[in-house]
Amino acid sequence: MTELEHHVVEEFRAGRLSRRMFLHHAARLGMLAAVPARAAARGKPGAIMRVASQLPAGALEPLTVSEIGGLVMLCQTGEFLIMDGPDLILRPGLARSWSSNADASVWTFALQPGVRFHDGQPFGAADVVATMDRLCDPKQGSNALSVMRGVLSPGGTKRVDDLTVRFELDAPIGSFPFYVSSDNYNAIMLPANYAGDFESNFNGTGPFRLDRFVAKVGASFVRNDSYWGAKALPSRTEFSFFGDQQPQILALEDDQVDVIVQISVQGAQGLLRDPDVKIIDIPAATHRQLHLRCDAGPTADRRVRQAIALSLNRPGLLHGLFQGRARLGNDSPFAPFYAATDPSVPQRIHDIPRARALMQAAGLPDGFETTLTTERVQEIPDLAVLVQNACADIGIRITLRIEDPASYYGAAQFGRSDWLDSTMGITDYGHRGVANVTLAAPYLSNGAWNAAHFKNAAYDRLVAQFIAAIDPPAQRETAGKIQRLLLQETPVIIPYFYDYIAATGPTVSGVAVSGMSQVFLQDAALG
């Protein structure tokens, strides 16, 4: 046992880490003996599982897929080095173990033996090297660059032997295993000779093989009887693609499908109350960010930003938008259930008198006029109206500009994006098992997603310290400093983190989902 592993054990024995947090840190560090596999009774084999999923927005190219419909398809046949569960505890996937050097700048992964791709090629270190080099290469246009930029460069993944790879990172990262887990949904392992033809064969290593894929219609898969692990229970899975939520709900209620991959509370209230429907509800770090420009206009004064944050009735938002299926946000990416989150940081509350006093101190007792720009996605338009109404209580008169997602994001570059150029905006952010990614791109002075135009050298230093930390107390101490700094500066308001919700028929069991909108059906059964 290394000195750090011994320290984690001692922190647990001393009562400074809960069992869940101990398991989280133990798995992150590769102490797999401390993380026993969860044994569960499996259902009857042989079912045909019918699934309703969102329509993939474009071609199913693992390098570039970025939306729910596409990433659901990737994980039907593709597998990850590590699996991140709903409990945020990492478990082996195609990697059976992992460990780091003393400062977490080099990580070594041992791979599962006896794994083959569906076309018969053996899986090994060369495939990991090629897959990661593609994901990290700016010339490839990889969507995973939002995760991997500054973390791992092309050539940083080394083959040690056929079943061992070494990751030589650009900088120390104490939570690096999350970066190559199912959290990074583009990171399914592909053959070294992959030629960009995924839609034609879905060539992965997983428990299902492609039967048929019809763009804009659906896909079907059959059990892979040559799978390296426990064989899948269903003999077949059938996915139907839908453009919006209501037809999916009707299909489930009419027994045309057995599973809906993901539902939003808005528009599904009846389904959530239906006793004949099973609801899968897991806490997730999925959230909305209300950014406020820090470099121009009235919101350049942090007192104005604080006032806007204090105007929001967060418990009311949770009830009205999610029927309580969400957690309070405290204006930082640290979800309340993250192991590193400092619970001693005070929760920001609804305080109109204090907000008005801040507006007065900022020289704006009568408020001002501005525009809030956002996208037409799930509950976001409703949230925009609630923000508009809340700000009216402190004199801020907001005009709403609600666009389709393509118009909102534009070219996703400063000067060419309503998202990145707006004075105020609301943006959707997906789940991650750790806060690292959402601490960086939206907030760092050079962050590619820094719509608030927030530049703070102290913040930049703290994030670098947090990302490099591998010791649990050091992580939490730095997290607390970041949380307090963001409450003080308020470049972004995060009012809530909402649950991931899926739905199944009454006789369905064994369906597993993730906060990344993935669905895993190898243990699914009927009856």
Side-chain angles (χ1 to χ4, degrees), residues 303-320:
R303 293 169 296 189
V304 173
R305 303 195 298 268
Q306 292 170 2
I308 293 171
L310 290 167
S311 75
L312 298 182
N313 181 348
R314 296 166 199 242
L317 295 178
L318 265 61
H319 177 74

Side-chain angles (χ1 to χ4, degrees), residues 44-65:
K44 297 178 181 178
I48 297 175
M49 303 301 302
R50 303 164 300 166
V51 185
S53 179
Q54 288 193 19
L55 175 71
L60 297 179
E61 167 49 59
L63 283 172
T64 56
V65 162

Side-chain angles (χ1 to χ4, degrees), residues 74-126:
L74 296 190
C75 68
Q76 297 315 303
T77 65
E79 292 188 293
F80 303 89
L81 291 176
I82 302 173
M83 296 300 298
D84 181 16
D87 53 9
L88 306 186
I89 294 174
L90 299 176
R91 292 180 173 84
L94 290 173
R96 56 190 173 90
S97 65
W98 50 93
S99 61
S100 76
N101 65 348
D103 71 349
S105 63
V106 177
W107 289 80
T108 302
F109 282 52
L111 306 179
Q112 301 282 4
V115 178
R116 289 188 175 273
F117 288 98
H118 296 163
D119 66 358
Q121 296 185 74
F123 164 78

